[in-house]
Amino acid sequence: MMSARIGLGSVTRRVAFAPVIGRNQIALRTLILKRGVQIQSLPPSASEEILNAQRLKRPSSPHFTIYQPQLTWLSSIANRATGGALSALLYGFSLAYLVAPDTFTSVNIVEFVAGLPDYLKYTGKLILAAPFTFHFWNGLRHLSWDMGKLLSLKGAYRAGYAVLGATAISTVALVLM
Amino acid sequence: LLRSMLPRTFASATGRNVLRSASQVRASSTTQYVPGGPIIKGTVNDPIEFPPPSRTHGSYHWVFERLLAASLIPMTAAAFVTSESSYPVLDGLLGLSLVMHSHIGFDSMIVDYVHKRKFPILGPVMTWTLRTAMVGVLVGVYQFNTNDIGLTELIAKVWTA
């Protein structure tokens, strides 16, 4: 049988109707900073800024650094990288010819390349041929996807291996040309 | 039900038709209430704004890009087997197609990696740098093909140097 009263009703009534001196002591104790916590008063509208600032500092979990290497995405990024590199070469040469046509004449370039040692020539051919052939064959693979073919996982993988093989063969053929 | 889900993606579409609560009207005219909550622009909670549907930037662009890439195949093969000084038109076409193909490729890289939604200054700067570079490259390619031996001839000569 519950004979005792529960709740804070009696306590708050005691505090509210306490003598004035008692109440001031409580008030004084809360005024004195017991723990030295600094409280800064902000309007409610500042919460958005604080939240956004926090969100900018939040780290993101590793994603493409931990994704398992697969032929699908590796060949995709390699297609983009080789295309970008070849285009950068094209753009660089064209802009260089625009800016300094007398330095970059075909005669100068052919002479410069002819004067290089053989191993450098082969290395240069390799560096130029491999991205070009890969981009070419993978481009064919991409175009076949655009036509709706080879869109299954098996198809994409088989075509991917075919692209790698064709790249190897055509690179060797080009370097030896 | 379907129409009530659409407005969330196209923010500007249905603001007028929805009853606004008193607090929203008092808050500001830029907060727009749609079922699901107010859309407060400028925060990280913005719903993504899709570009207006346009065939020029959508399906026609896609088709053009694929046709251009496909046309590069016979052109490259032809450039391989012929001597370019006899077919300057082919050389010019190949140069133009290569530059356009490169431009579309670079543009998609910019859109993927430095979109102006996340990079409001760097994105447009890169886009306009690319466009300026394309103009320069087109002029350079034209000059080279006209005043000098042309791209395919240069590659052929350098390859067998």
Side-chain angles (χ1 to χ4, degrees):
Chain A
M1 187 104 151
M2 305 282 273
S3 55
R5 270 188 228 138
I6 49 172
L8 294 167
S10 51
V11 179
T12 49
R13 242 173 280 130
R14 216 178 301 136
V15 168
F17 296 118
V20 184
I21 314 153
R23 226 185 304 166
N24 273 351
Q25 279 176 356
I26 298 165
L28 276 171
R29 236 184 283 137
T30 55
L31 276 177
I32 297 167
L33 299 169
K34 282 193 150 188
R35 292 185 199 147
V37 174
Q38 298 292 332
I39 296 174
Q40 192 188 11
S41 177
L42 289 174
S45 56
S47 63
E48 206 178 285
E49 270 176 49
I50 297 174
L51 178 63
N52 287 344
Q54 281 177 344
R55 280 172 170 168
L56 280 176
K57 291 184 199 146
R58 285 180 191 166
S60 62
S61 3
H63 39 288
F64 68 86
T65 42
I66 57 167
Y67 204 113
Q68 183 194 44
Q70 291 167 336
L71 184 62
T72 44
W73 67 268
L74 280 179
S75 64
S76 173
I77 192 65
N79 197 32
R80 178 168 266 192
T82 50
L86 291 164
S87 301
L89 186 63
L90 173 68
Y91 274 38
F93 170 70
S94 308
L95 290 174
Y97 186 79
L98 186 68
V99 168
D102 300 317
T103 327
F104 291 97
T105 59
S106 56
V107 180
N108 284 5
I109 297 174
V110 172
E111 266 178 29
F112 172 77
V113 170
L116 292 173
D118 266 356
Y119 70 91
L120 263 186
K121 281 190 205 170
Y122 280 114
T123 315
K125 278 194 201 175
L126 189 68
I127 293 176
L128 283 177
F132 176 73
T133 49
F134 177 79
H135 191 84
F136 183 82
W137 297 114
N138 204 34
L140 286 183
R141 178 172 169 237
H142 196 116
L143 282 174
S144 54
W145 289 332
D146 292 328
M147 291 193 291
K149 317 259 182 284
L150 300 169
L151 280 170
S152 63
L153 195 60
K154 265 195 186 167
Y157 263 83
R158 283 199 193 134
Y161 289 130
V163 161
L164 287 178
T167 304
I169 296 172
S170 42
T171 304
V172 169
L174 277 179
V175 168
L176 292 176
M177 229 189 249
Chain B
L1 194 69
L2 197 62
R3 283 191 74 218
S4 69
M5 288 203 285
L6 280 176
R8 209 172 306 187
T9 53
F10 295 102
S12 55
T14 59
R16 278 169 260 140
N17 303 331
V18 180
L19 288 172
R20 293 191 187 209
S21 66
S23 62
Q24 255 69 49
V25 172
R26 198 181 350 113
S28 84
S29 55
T30 58
T31 53
Q32 173 190 318
Y33 188 82
V34 295
I39 299 174
I40 307 169
K41 281 201 187 298
T43 64
V44 295
N45 289 326
D46 272 353
I48 186 163
E49 293 216 344
F50 289 93
S54 117
R55 292 231 178 99
T56 323
H57 293 106
S59 65
Y60 290 168
H61 181 268
W62 190 90
V63 171
F64 175 74
E65 187 183 348
R66 312 300 142 155
L67 285 179
L68 183 67
S71 73
L72 275 172
I73 302 170
M75 270 198 269
T76 315
F80 247 107
V81 299
T82 63
S83 148
E84 270 320 297
S85 33
S86 1
Y87 298 99
V89 177
L90 177 61
D91 210 12
L93 272 179
L94 183 62
L96 180 66
S97 309
L98 274 177
V99 174
M100 283 203 287
H101 185 73
S102 307
H103 179 84
I104 294 178
F106 277 138
D107 198 42
S108 43
M109 284 169 80
I110 291 177
V111 164
D112 279 347
Y113 301 136
V114 279
H115 195 267
K116 64 173 164 51
R117 190 178 60 227
K118 189 173 173 188
F119 299 92
I121 301 173
L122 184 62
V125 162
M126 295 289 296
T127 310
W128 283 103
T129 309
L130 179 67
R131 290 172 183 169
T132 318
M134 178 185 69
V135 172
V137 167
L138 281 173
V139 176
V141 166
Y142 172 78
Q143 296 280 5
F144 190 75
N145 281 8
T146 313
N147 301 338
D148 215 316
I149 51 175
L151 283 173
T152 42
E153 190 82 17
L154 173 72
I155 296 174
K157 285 216 163 95
V158 166
W159 208 256
T160 52

